[in-house]
Structure formats: C-alpha cells, structure tokens
Amino acid sequence: MAAMSSAAFPFSRSQPGTVGQEMFAAALRDCALHQVPALHRLYDLTAAEMLGLLVQMLGDREEAEALLQQGYLAVWQQAPSFNPARCSPRAWLLSVFRQQAIDHLRARHMPAGEVDAAVRLADAVLGEGESPQGRRLLRLAFLTGRTPPELARALGLSAAEVRSGIRQALLAHPEPAP
C-alpha cells in the first residue's frame, strides 16, 4: 500500500497549524450541530485515511469499507463530545475509528480476551515516545495479529523496517506491570 501524500490528506501531524486543520475542526463543530453538509465535508476530507487505518487494522478491505460507514455514523453521534482543548480533530477522529475497529475485532472471530489483552498491552507500551512509526507498527501487529513480513507487504515497507520499528517502540518503554 503506497503512502498517502500530504496533498491527498492535508491534516498530518507535521502541519498542525494549517488551514486544513481549521477546516477539519470547523467540520467537526458543524457535525456536532448535526449539519448534514458538514458530515459530507468531513467524509470527503478524511475517508481515504480512515479507510486506510481500518484496512490495516482489520486486514480486509470489504470489512473496512463496511465499517467506514459505521465509523462516520459514530462520528455524527459523538461529535458533540469533541473538545479541541483535549486533542486535535484528527486525533479525535482516529480514536473514534480505532474504537470502531476494536469493537469489530471483538465481535469477529477473535476471542474477547485476546483483543482486550492486545489492546491493553499495546496502549501500555505505546504511550508517548520518540518513534510514532514504531508505535503504529507495534499497534498494527498487536491488533491485527499480522507478522512483520505481512505488515511489510501491506504497508509497502521492508520486513526489516517493520521489525526495527517494532523493536524500537518496545525498547522505548519498559514492560508494563501485570
């Protein structure tokens, strides 16, 4: 899977003060007021990235496409809870879709205990650190159960890059207490 360019999705963390972030925040505020055009605007601005996240987490494009629609319904329902003082609009949206994917994994063939354990471990290990790419790779490995070579193929990286990123994320944080 090729990486998206910043032109395709202008809301990356490296550009926090962009006009794109302001448009994104405005769309979320308008969604909170249940303005239908705002949801359409938000979908147009973010659907490609959210679909990419879901495909990576679920490992199945058809499931991801179905869950994408459910995710935007959740955004519509939860938009009043968005607080820009607590996180960026992009981080909030990613968290909504992440939770949708976790809920879907729980409902799918994975036993609840395995998903819960993976999420707890990933969240404990992934806190804040120096390697966002490594944290992302580690989270994907835990939540999808994919091996480094499988993740490498899905993300267009080498298996060595994936293993190195996961290792760096693990070394950056001590093992959580049981």
Side-chain angles (χ1 to χ4, degrees), residues 52-64:
L53 171 74
L54 293 172
V55 168
Q56 289 173 1
M57 288 183 73
L58 301 175
D60 183 284
R61 185 173 177 95
E62 286 183 27
E63 280 184 306

Side-chain angles (χ1 to χ4, degrees), residues 1-2 6 32 58 86-87 100 103 113 121 123 125 149 163 167 178:
M1 175 183 288
S6 61
L58 301 175
R86 294 182 62 199
C87 65
Q100 289 291 311
D103 290 345
L121 182 57
D123 287 344
V125 171
R163 280 191 292 275
R167 179 172 164 69

Side-chain angles (χ1 to χ4, degrees), residues 137-155:
L137 292 169
L138 183 58
R139 179 171 277 130
L140 288 172
F142 276 122
L143 293 177
T144 66
R146 291 182 177 183
T147 64
E150 290 170 334
L151 285 174
R153 280 190 299 277
L155 299 172

Side-chain angles (χ1 to χ4, degrees), residues 122-140:
D123 287 344
V125 171
L126 298 177
E128 293 302 315
E130 297 180 16
S131 175
Q133 175 70 3
R135 289 193 320 265
R136 177 174 168 260
L137 292 169
L138 183 58
R139 179 171 277 130
L140 288 172

Side-chain angles (χ1 to χ4, degrees), residues 70-148:
Q70 292 175 15
Y72 281 101
L73 177 60
V75 167
W76 178 257
Q77 293 168 339
Q78 297 174 29
S81 71
F82 170 66
N83 180 352
R86 294 182 62 199
C87 65
S88 73
R90 181 176 179 269
W92 183 84
L93 190 70
L94 286 168
S95 72
V96 170
F97 278 88
R98 174 187 176 273
Q99 190 58 52
Q100 289 291 311
I102 290 169
D103 290 345
H104 183 77
L105 287 170
R106 286 183 177 131
R108 203 165 73 169
H109 64 281
M110 292 183 73
E114 287 182 29
V115 174
D116 290 341
V119 170
R120 278 194 310 276
L121 182 57
D123 287 344
V125 171
L126 298 177
E128 293 302 315
E130 297 180 16
S131 175
Q133 175 70 3
R135 289 193 320 265
R136 177 174 168 260
L137 292 169
L138 183 58
R139 179 171 277 130
L140 288 172
F142 276 122
L143 293 177
T144 66
R146 291 182 177 183
T147 64

